[in-house]
Amino acid sequence: MVRIVRATQAEIDEAVTALRDGELVAFPTETVYGLGANAQNPAAVQKVFEAKGRPTSHPVIVHIDSPKYLHRWVREVPDVAQALAARFWPGPLTLVLPRNPNVHDIITGGQDTIAVRVPAHPMAQQLLTAFGGGIAAPSANRYGRISPTRAEHVREEFGQAIRVVLDGGESQVGLESTIVACGPAGTRLLRPGAVTLAQLRQVAGEVLVGSADAVPRVPGSTPSHYAPATPMTIVPADEIDTRAEDASEGGRRIAVLAQRLPLKTYTSVTWINAGRRADAYAHDLYANLRTLDKAGCEQIFVQEVPGDDKWDAIRDRLLRGAAASEVENAEFPAAGALGAMP
Ligand code: TXA
Ligand code: MG
């Protein structure tokens, strides 16, 4: 695994200058790369939405380097949030809390809450400390697409449109942060991530799952997320070989994301064995999906992952990716792609 943990002073200076000038900076975190702007400059945050093609109704996470700066962004910190922050920050946890009234509406989508996170990646910490303020940052991908876990993924998404991209190597976790809302509707898990429901409950007691709000405030909760461009289907573990073999008949190119080796060699199948360990699978998931997406295949088959809670976040992203390709295929039937499937 490639790990580059510190940026040079010149790189940090360039990034801080860009942020102060209202420009965007892509930076590594331990979950995925973020596309950041000065959270106190609404015009700069607007550029993030434009670059991503993301509707401004979707709020963004403010990244800070220490919980001691929470009060700048948050009106009140419930005890349960205090306990979660003490246990999991810095780390892959985002807390949704009552907003401080002077936070700009573009950050919160005009809601009464704000999402805040203290990332653990040393380079993110280095940047935040040098900048001295909050950085508003969604994942550094175009709206609805796969999050980047390497600097080169950010380049693939945005080319030269983002001038400053800090390269911190491969994101260690590989999936977006766990999001938890603490408020009058109780403590609620809004998005599963590396911090599991069981871990949250150990600290917070009762944790409900899902939003109390009918409005989808978490874009990842709409199906058009985490999706490769190639149609993706989840297949039971014991069917993965036959499905791949049948679909690849006549030389049709098929991609497989499995957790073991194929039973035999299939000539037109691109097969990735992502292994049986949840943390390693998560670390590689988005890079693997990008690789398979670029392999020129008609279909991606993903072996269904195990049912235990270590796999919750992975299962969530895979289900959304597969649901998004169903929607896209229903709207724009890809000739031959799904038609020949059983
Ligand atoms: O790991 C991560 O969380 C990465 C890294 C860069 O920190 N960021 C990330 O940002 O995944 P994004 O924008 O792709 O996803 C953040 C999610 C969005 O689904 C957004 O709707 C939700 O957080 N969110 C932000 N503010 C919120 C709020 N006030 N209430 C509920 N959800 C909120
Ligand atoms: Mg995102």
Side-chain angles (χ1 to χ4, degrees):
M1 192 208 308
V2 185
R3 289 210 72 201
I4 308 163
V5 290
R6 303 281 300 175
T8 64
Q9 193 55 46
E11 288 169 323
I12 291 294
D13 288 348
E14 187 191 21
V16 168
T17 303
L19 290 170
R20 293 203 176 127
D21 289 347
E23 299 302 327
L24 307 186
V25 170
F27 63 99
T29 86
E30 72 280 20
T31 58
V32 300
Y33 276 69
L35 183 59
N38 177 357
Q40 276 172 309
N41 179 342
V45 180
Q46 179 68 34
K47 289 184 189 169
V48 174
F49 286 92
E50 283 162 13
K52 280 184 62 96
R54 167 161 156 163
T56 46
S57 55
H58 291 302
V60 289
I61 299 171
V62 173
H63 298 71
I64 54 178
D65 67 348
S66 163
K68 65 177 188 263
Y69 300 120
L70 253 186
H71 63 271
R72 291 189 190 168
W73 307 95
V74 172
R75 189 167 68 235
E76 60 179 84
V77 185
D79 290 348
V80 63
Q82 202 84 58
L84 289 169
R87 170 68 181 81
F88 297 112
W89 279 353
L93 176 72
T94 295
L95 293 174
V96 172
L97 300 169
R99 74 187 270 193
N100 190 317
N102 55 27
V103 173
H104 293 285
D105 276 346
I106 191 163
I107 300 283
T108 64
Q111 299 179 84
D112 193 37
T113 55
I114 181 169
V116 197
R117 177 160 104 83
V118 178
H121 194 296
M123 206 179 280
Q125 282 278 334
Q126 214 185 341
L127 176 67
L128 286 161
T129 303
F131 177 55
I135 299 180
S139 50
N141 52 281
R142 302 228 179 234
Y143 182 61
R145 293 296 169 195
I146 303 169
S147 295
T149 53
R150 298 175 187 173
E152 74 218 46
H153 298 165
V154 180
R155 292 281 184 219
E156 278 171 26
E157 293 279 326
F158 296 106
Q160 294 310 306
I162 309 300
R163 201 168 45 85
V164 184
V165 180
L166 292 177
D167 185 347
E170 299 174 9
S171 293
Q172 223 179 345
V173 172
L175 297 179
E176 304 79 359
S177 58
T178 303
I179 303 182
V180 176
C182 304
T187 306
R188 292 183 164 267
L189 175 63
L190 301 184
R191 179 173 73 185
V195 176
T196 63
L197 189 56
Q199 287 177 305
L200 293 169
R201 285 180 171 149
Q202 274 172 10
V203 176
E206 186 182 42
V207 179
L208 304 166
V209 178
S211 174
D213 194 342
V215 186
R217 294 300 191 186
V218 184
S221 70
T222 59
S224 67
H225 270 73
Y226 315 110
T230 314
M232 177 170 128
T233 308
I234 297 170
V235 173
D238 58 352
E239 291 174 23
I240 192 86
D241 272 87
T242 41
R243 290 290 292 273
E245 183 165 28
D246 292 352
S248 65
E249 223 170 86
R252 294 170 62 211
R253 299 182 66 170
I254 296 297
V256 173
L257 182 60
Q259 295 185 256
R260 57 168 173 74
L261 294 168
L263 297 177
K264 59 182 197 194
T265 307
Y266 309 109
T267 44
S268 59
V269 176
T270 305
W271 185 291
I272 292 180
N273 171 14
R276 291 170 186 275
R277 280 187 42 200
D279 53 355
Y281 190 105
H283 174 273
D284 294 337
L285 176 61
Y286 290 150
N288 283 338
L289 288 178
R290 281 172 188 272
T291 301
L292 294 178
D293 216 10
K294 284 187 284 194
C297 295
E298 292 182 24
Q299 177 80 30
I300 301 173
F301 289 128
V302 179
Q303 179 183 333
E304 190 176 27
V305 296
D308 53 293
D309 84 337
K310 287 199 300 280
W311 294 84
D312 282 353
I314 294 166
R315 195 178 322 102
D316 171 76
R317 306 311 191 271
L318 291 174
L319 287 170
R320 291 185 203 295
S325 50
E326 270 168 35
V327 172
E328 280 173 24
N329 284 303
E331 283 169 8
F332 313 103
L338 283 178
M341 300 305 301

